[in-house]
């Protein structure tokens, strides 16, 4: 029974790694920087103010990309920036 569960767990882990390997490098960077910026502000201000700040920063960055020639505006960049803060806020309020 334990071997079966371990095999299932290993399969899920391999699926996760496969999915992460397909994630574009740009989106991974947005996720990482969104996490860092959110955590910096959450440390001093709390979850909701930090979430508000990260949403404003992400929206401002995408607006800048939209207005600047040679830059590409992407909704998925906005999502990758804000999801870490949203998840951490939800988890923080559940605990």
């Amino acid at each position: 029974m334990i071997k079966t569960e371990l095999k299932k767990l290993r399969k899920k882990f391999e699926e996760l790694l496969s999915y992460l390997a397909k994630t574009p490098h740009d989106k991974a960077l947005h996720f990482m920087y969104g996490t860092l910026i959110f955590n910096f502000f959450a440390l001093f201000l709390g979850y909701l103010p930090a979430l508000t700040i990260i949403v404003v920063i992400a929206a401002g960055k995408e607006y800048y990309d939209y207005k600047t020639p040679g830059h590409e505006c992407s909704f998925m960049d906005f999502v990758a920036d804000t999801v870490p803060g949203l998840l951490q806020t939800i988890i923080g309020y559940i605990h």
Side-chain angles (χ1 to χ4, degrees), residues 36-82:
L36 291 173
I37 294 168
F38 174 82
N39 284 327
F40 174 78
F41 285 108
L43 182 65
F44 297 105
L45 304 174
Y47 291 120
L48 287 179
L51 182 60
T52 303
I53 290 169
I54 198 68
V55 166
V56 169
I57 289 172
K61 167 70 169 72
E62 293 312 309
Y63 181 74
Y64 169 80
D65 287 344
Y66 176 74
K67 289 292 190 178
T68 305
H71 288 238
E72 184 179 328
C73 177
S74 168
F75 178 72
M76 290 310 293
D77 286 351
F78 174 80
V79 170
D81 284 332
T82 56

Side-chain angles (χ1 to χ4, degrees), residues 12-27:
K12 290 294 183 186
F13 185 69
E14 288 172 353
E15 289 173 3
L16 176 63
L17 288 178
S18 174
Y19 176 76
L20 290 176
K22 295 175 189 173
T23 303
H25 184 257
D26 175 55
K27 303 305 179 254

